Amino acid sequence: DTGVSQDPRHKITKRGQNVTFRCDPISEHNRLYWYRQTLGQGPEFLTYFQNEAQLEKSRLLSDRFSAERPKGSFSTLEIQRTEQGDSAMYLCASSVTQGAREKNTEAFFGQGTRLTVV
Amino acid sequence: AQSVTQLGSHVSVSEGALVLLRCNYSSSVPPYLFWYVQYPNQGLQLLLKYTTGATLVKGINGFEAEFKKSETSFHLTKPSAHMSDAAEYFCAVRALRKLTFGTGTRLQVTL
C-alpha cells in the first residue's frame, strides 16, 4: 500500500497519560499535515511540515501537543497529560510541492488515529 | 481568511434520485475547492477538485460539482444516488497552504 499510513488506528488511554501517534506519508511527499476531527465536525488544521521544518501551528495546538518530522519523512504527534477533550480522530495528510506550489494541489489523507481518553 | 458553509447537516434521498449537497465558501484569495467523502471510521477520500479552468468538474463515482464565483458556491451533485453513496461529505477550500473544511453533510440513501 503506497498511501498515507497512520499508527495506531485506535488508542484508548487514561486521562493524564501521554500518547504518541505516527504518520508515514506517501513516499516523496515533502509536505505533511495534521488535522483533528471531533464527532460531527469537519477536520480542523493543527500543523504542517515542509520537509523537516514545522512551518505553521494552529492555536488549537496547545503546549501539551508537539509534532515532529525529524528526517523529513515520517512524523509523530505527541499529546502530554491527555484530557477528555482530546478525544478525537487525528488525521494525517501529505502532498507534494514543486517549488512554491503544490504540484497536484491536493492532499492525500490517512485512515486516522481515533483517540479515546477515559 | 477562508471559510466553508455546508447547508444541511443531513440529507436523505431515495436510491436513484438526484443528490445535491450544498457548499458556499469565502476566501481572500482565488480558491482551490475540494469535495471529500468519509466512510465510518475511515480517512478522507478525494471526490473532485477545482483549481482553475473549467468550472464544471467531474469526479469519481459519478459525482460532479460546479464552481460559481458570483455565488461563491461549489455544490456537489450526482444524477442518481446509489446505496453505496451513503457517507459523510466534506467541502473544503484551500488557501495559504492549508485546507479549511465545512462541518460536513451526512448523506442517507433509502430504498
Side-chain angles (χ1 to χ4, degrees), chain A residues 56 101 104-106 111, chain B residues 32 34 42 49 97-98:
Chain A
E56 186 174 347
R101 299 178 60 82
N104 293 318
T105 68
E106 66 195 66
Q111 304 263 39
Chain B
Y32 291 167
F34 304 82
Q42 299 292 316
K49 64 182 179 184
R97 303 186 186 89
K98 60 181 184 282

Side-chain angles (χ1 to χ4, degrees), chain A residues 9 31 33 35 37 40-43 45 48 56 89 91 101-102 104-107 109-111 114, chain B residues 32 34 36 38 41-46 49 51 88 90 94 96-104:
Chain A
R9 292 289 312 278
R31 192 165 283 176
Y33 304 81
Y35 287 82
Q37 184 180 20
Q41 299 297 315
F45 170 78
Y48 90 93
E56 186 174 347
M89 173 82 90
L91 294 164
R101 299 178 60 82
E102 291 196 47
N104 293 318
T105 68
E106 66 195 66
F109 282 80
Q111 304 263 39
R114 180 167 295 284
Chain B
Y32 291 167
F34 304 82
Y36 284 87
Q38 185 177 37
N41 294 313
Q42 299 292 316
L44 302 173
Q45 180 183 5
L46 181 70
K49 64 182 179 184
T51 54
E88 187 93 21
F90 292 95
R94 188 173 77 82
L96 303 176
R97 303 186 186 89
K98 60 181 184 282
L99 289 167
T100 299
F101 288 87
T103 52

Side-chain angles (χ1 to χ4, degrees), chain A residues 23-41:
Chain A
C23 171
D24 287 89
I26 293 172
S27 180
E28 298 177 356
H29 277 198
N30 54 352
R31 192 165 283 176
L32 187 148
Y33 304 81
W34 285 100
Y35 287 82
R36 182 175 70 186
Q37 184 180 20
T38 53
L39 205 59
Q41 299 297 315

Side-chain angles (χ1 to χ4, degrees), chain A residues 49-90:
Chain A
F49 293 83
Q50 176 87 8
N51 300 311
E52 67 276 9
Q54 188 173 19
L55 297 187
E56 186 174 347
K57 292 193 290 186
S58 163
R59 67 185 189 299
L60 293 175
L61 213 66
S62 75
D63 56 6
R64 295 185 299 105
F65 288 70
S66 63
E68 294 182 342
R69 195 182 183 197
K71 297 182 180 179
S73 57
F74 74 91
S75 175
T76 57
L77 178 67
E78 181 183 16
I79 309 174
Q80 297 182 324
R81 305 181 303 281
T82 52
E83 302 173 354
Q84 288 188 320
D86 298 331
S87 295
M89 173 82 90
Y90 290 84

Side-chain angles (χ1 to χ4, degrees), chain B residues 50-89:
Chain B
Y50 168 79
T51 54
T52 58
T55 56
L56 181 64
V57 293
K58 297 185 184 297
I60 62 172
N61 301 337
F63 284 94
E64 61 182 38
E66 186 172 11
F67 170 62
K68 292 186 176 180
K69 184 178 179 180
S70 62
E71 299 178 8
T72 60
S73 68
F74 191 56
H75 301 330
L76 181 71
T77 61
K78 181 174 180 177
S80 177
H82 190 272
M83 295 296 290
S84 61
D85 295 327
E88 187 93 21
Y89 291 81

